Amino acid sequence: MNTATQVAGVQLGSYVFNAAGPKDVTYEELQVIGQSGSSAITMKSCTIEPREGNEEPRYKDVPLGSINSMGLPNLGYKEYLRILPLLKNKFDKPIVASLAGMKPEDIPVLVDAFNESDIDIIELNLSCPNLKGKPQIAYDFEMTDAILRDVTKNLKKPFGIKLPPYFDPVHWDMATEIFKKYPIDFLCCINSVGNTLIIDPETERPLIKPKGGFGGLGGDFIKPVALANVRAFSERLGEKMAIIGVGGIKSGTDAFEFLLAGADAVQIGTQFMKEGPECFGHIDTELQAILKKKGYKDIKAAKGKLKSL
Ligand code: RRO
């Protein structure tokens, strides 16, 4: 039994890999992911210029998940293009570039640069919730449409988009109408739930400093939101594009629920922060045991097989 899968025509040795964001900024951190059970190496969302990100404290774990307002700290896209061949030489697994524009005009520059590289997969981040004064792009359907029209014209790589959570079927329908017009290979659902607030009643303060404590929520808190987004897009677009599930996966059981909802693969964010690189291997081993026990011969056999009541 193995959990090998495919996303955008790219073969992944297992169903589980790292989400853009946690512990994937530096070459050292990316090598740790390379040596782990993660079936791909996703790099931190990168911008044109290097960024320090927001002020500290900007990430906190809590029992049910995490809150962050990192503010896109990254080394700048040119450094990731430099690191890419080093990672490719060292590790036999696909590398995913996550791209994030500080303004819409940045996005074609980033996509063009990685189009010409040896990258395996491009994930365009349309959903960072933590840039002061900048809304999450994918909540603006007109802008999303314009960006996708532009960047999908000359794609040379498997390409997908990282989405924020939507909370209403009307928005899943509207987003679907846009996405289906373009050669998008996968949707990655979901980014953290943006602009939430956790308060410490002892100190009477928020847990993180940027934006008055408002930040992106991850972990257990958001699993039902992520499952609903995976299911909603799988029902609407699952024949046409792959769906990657992210949000609150910390066990094989969680991964199995995403598989039933229609995910082709899952990414791990908060649990990687909390547990370290061992998470990828044990989530995958647990998933294998569940599939075996239930008599599913592989990932394909269980994908999207959520039963009705
Ligand atoms: O760096 C961040 O603050 C961040 C990003 Br780019 C993102 O896409 N999602 C998130 O929760 N944090």
Side-chain angles (χ1 to χ4, degrees), residues 20-21 44-45 54 58 68-73 98 100 125 127-131 162 191-193 215-217:
K44 172 70 184 172
S45 293
N54 293 340
R58 59 191 188 181
N68 89 85
S69 183
M70 303 300 289
L72 253 173
S98 172
N125 185 353
S127 47
C128 176
N130 301 325
L131 297 173
K162 177 84 169 267
N191 208 320
S192 58
V193 174
L217 195 66

Side-chain angles (χ1 to χ4, degrees), residues 62-80:
V62 290
L64 288 178
S66 66
I67 185 165
N68 89 85
S69 183
M70 303 300 289
L72 253 173
N74 77 94
L75 307 177
Y77 81 108
K78 287 186 182 153
E79 183 61 10
Y80 294 103

Side-chain angles (χ1 to χ4, degrees), residues 56 85-86 88 93 97 116 118 158 188 212 216 244 251 292 300:
E56 307 263 1
L86 308 179
K88 298 268 316 174
K93 49 177 89 168
E116 301 306 324
D118 216 10
C188 186
I244 301 175
S251 69
K292 194 166 169 207
K300 224 174 173 176

